Amino acid sequence: MHHHSLPLIAAILFATLAGAATSAKPTLDLDAFEKSMQTARLPNGTNIGFMDRGPRDGVPVVLIHGFTNNARSWTPLIPYLDPRFRLILIDVRGHGISSKPECCYTRLDMAYDVKLLLDQMHIASAHIIGHSLGSIVSQMFAETWPERTRHVVLIGSTGGVRADCNGGDATLKSPLPGMRAELLKLKDPIDPNSPFMSAWYGNAMAPDPDVVRRQRRDAAAIPVRVWLAILDQGVTGMDLQATLPRLTAPTLLIWGDKDTLMPEPVRCALREALPNARVHVFPTYGHNPAWDDPAAVAALINPFINETVGP
């Protein structure tokens, strides 16, 4: 069978996403990491996989992963983050060990899970870090519960469509329609070695190749209906600009300039909506700078979070 749009998906999503590890880097024991994941039953009936890591009296920092990833995708970054942080890593609904309900997968549903988990953990406010889909969830959390939000870090994020950023052209070149068409051809369970998964994880290289192998396996285990629901409800067709003015927390925006999934017009839309945000663009990295160069990303995050911890 000829998967005509798969090379396009692969090229757009993961072209230059990867920076191969050139020297020994600190890695986490992935088996031990997975064993330390817990599950919380939330009042809305969702089970959310999470990890509570670091000192209990540390500054709470929530990390929200991207589409089809899970908490493990942060393992390359964790060794470089300030050890005083209390890290709360979440498997977003539909991902990892969290519930995969029939409904519902909007950014508000996902952000509400985070809010309910923090309620259950008696955490009044936290710093929020999100990557890709997780950055959209992070935006929503900060917009909806500003009193619960300290600082926000958005990695590989988007501000959606804004007329003054792309000449009013809302038809940004996107791999997502092609991806949706390919998903409709798939049946559960997705073969981790299928052409589709090879395209999706094609050139992705974390500092530890075992991270990529496990992420790919877990992504393939997500039901096709969940991939589609998140694409349709949580990723496409949202008016991010309408709510971004409510994001008032101090914000740091991090991109790789070779990120073809979040091209310059959607980056511009986020910068323009958040004129007070700090911005750092890595010239040679792709959609996940925290995989390309976790030490450099942590060197931006640590002082930003530490600068004003607040009450």
Side-chain angles (χ1 to χ4, degrees), residues 2 33-34 43 72 114 126 128 148 153 161 169 176 230 238 246 257-258 284:
H2 182 55
F33 179 89
E34 286 161 26
R72 189 199 300 109
V114 176
I128 310 292
R148 308 292 295 271
V153 180
V161 175
D169 179 12
L176 298 178
I230 296 171
M238 290 177 297
R246 301 180 203 157
D257 200 37
K258 306 293 189 210
T284 60

Side-chain angles (χ1 to χ4, degrees), residues 28-63:
L28 298 180
D29 179 333
L30 297 180
D31 291 331
F33 179 89
E34 286 161 26
K35 287 191 178 78
S36 59
M37 290 288 291
Q38 309 173 53
T39 309
R41 177 87 173 163
L42 302 181
N44 63 358
T46 310
N47 291 316
I48 288 293
F50 73 101
M51 178 179 296
D52 188 0
R53 183 184 181 96
R56 288 299 167 271
D57 59 349
V59 178
V61 179
V62 176
L63 295 110

Side-chain angles (χ1 to χ4, degrees), residues 11 33 55 77 89 104 127 133 143 213 224 237 256 258 284 301-302:
F33 179 89
L77 182 66
L89 300 102
C104 301
H127 302 275
L133 171 66
E143 291 160 7
R213 187 185 63 77
V224 173
K258 306 293 189 210
T284 60
I301 292 172
N302 290 335

Side-chain angles (χ1 to χ4, degrees), residues 62-77:
V62 176
L63 295 110
I64 309 175
H65 62 79
F67 181 39
T68 79
N69 281 330
N70 53 36
R72 189 199 300 109
S73 68
W74 294 108
T75 53
L77 182 66

Side-chain angles (χ1 to χ4, degrees), residues 211-260:
V211 172
V212 181
R213 187 185 63 77
R214 293 180 190 222
Q215 292 300 115
R216 180 168 164 169
R217 176 199 69 202
D218 288 358
I222 297 173
V224 173
R225 63 174 174 79
V226 173
W227 284 71
L228 290 167
I230 296 171
L231 269 185
D232 293 345
Q233 299 169 38
V235 176
T236 51
M238 290 177 297
D239 181 5
L240 298 177
Q241 287 291 310
T243 53
L244 272 165
R246 301 180 203 157
L247 203 172
T248 54
T251 303
L252 169 64
L253 309 177
I254 299 174
W255 282 289
D257 200 37
K258 306 293 189 210
D259 183 349
T260 42

Side-chain angles (χ1 to χ4, degrees), residues 9-297:
I9 296 167
I12 293 178
L13 288 180
F14 283 110
T16 66
L17 195 154
T22 51
S23 58
K25 297 186 177 182
T27 54
L28 298 180
D29 179 333
L30 297 180
D31 291 331
F33 179 89
E34 286 161 26
K35 287 191 178 78
S36 59
M37 290 288 291
Q38 309 173 53
T39 309
R41 177 87 173 163
L42 302 181
N44 63 358
T46 310
N47 291 316
I48 288 293
F50 73 101
M51 178 179 296
D52 188 0
R53 183 184 181 96
R56 288 299 167 271
D57 59 349
V59 178
V61 179
V62 176
L63 295 110
I64 309 175
H65 62 79
F67 181 39
T68 79
N69 281 330
N70 53 36
R72 189 199 300 109
S73 68
W74 294 108
T75 53
L77 182 66
I78 289 171
Y80 298 97
L81 292 176
D82 191 322
R84 295 172 298 178
F85 294 163
R86 178 183 182 180
L87 302 179
I88 297 142
L89 300 102
I90 292 174
D91 282 354
V92 172
R93 63 165 58 202
H95 299 75
I97 60 171
S98 292
S99 296
K100 297 169 180 65
E102 280 188 88
C103 170
C104 301
Y105 291 95
T106 70
R107 57 189 176 131
L108 182 57
D109 295 311
M110 299 178 198
Y112 189 44
D113 289 338
V114 176
K115 188 261 185 190
L116 291 177
L117 179 65
L118 293 179
D119 290 348
Q120 208 155 295
M121 297 174 75
H122 306 292
I123 294 173
S125 66
H127 302 275
I128 310 292
I129 301 176
H131 171 244
S132 198
L133 171 66
S135 75
I136 296 171
V137 177
S138 299
Q139 289 176 27
M140 193 76 211
F141 182 94
E143 291 160 7
T144 312
W145 297 284
E147 73 286 354
R148 308 292 295 271
T149 308
R150 298 194 191 186
H151 287 57
V152 176
V153 180
L154 305 176
I155 305 171
S157 195
T158 171
V161 175
R162 187 179 169 112
D164 55 354
C165 285
N166 58 350
D169 179 12
T171 59
L172 294 171
K173 186 178 178 187
S174 169
L176 298 178
M179 182 181 177
R180 192 181 194 285
E182 291 296 333
L183 279 164
L184 289 171
K185 301 175 190 172
L186 300 180
K187 299 274 188 290
D188 294 326
I190 300 173
D191 175 2
N193 300 310
S194 63
F196 177 83
M197 289 304 299
S198 296
W200 183 234
Y201 273 92
N203 300 320
M205 287 180 64
D208 178 358
D210 197 27
V211 172
V212 181
R213 187 185 63 77
R214 293 180 190 222
Q215 292 300 115
R216 180 168 164 169
R217 176 199 69 202
D218 288 358
I222 297 173
V224 173
R225 63 174 174 79
V226 173
W227 284 71
L228 290 167
I230 296 171
L231 269 185
D232 293 345
Q233 299 169 38
V235 176
T236 51
M238 290 177 297
D239 181 5
L240 298 177
Q241 287 291 310
T243 53
L244 272 165
R246 301 180 203 157
L247 203 172
T248 54
T251 303
L252 169 64
L253 309 177
I254 299 174
W255 282 289
D257 200 37
K258 306 293 189 210
D259 183 349
T260 42
L261 186 58
M262 301 299 186
E264 173 52 27
V266 304
R267 294 180 224 164
C268 166
L270 191 55
R271 292 194 308 268
E272 291 296 318
L274 301 173
N276 298 320
R278 292 181 210 181
V279 181
H280 187 93
V281 180
F282 290 100
T284 60
Y285 299 147
H287 185 54
N288 194 347
W291 278 15
D292 288 319
D293 194 342
V297 171

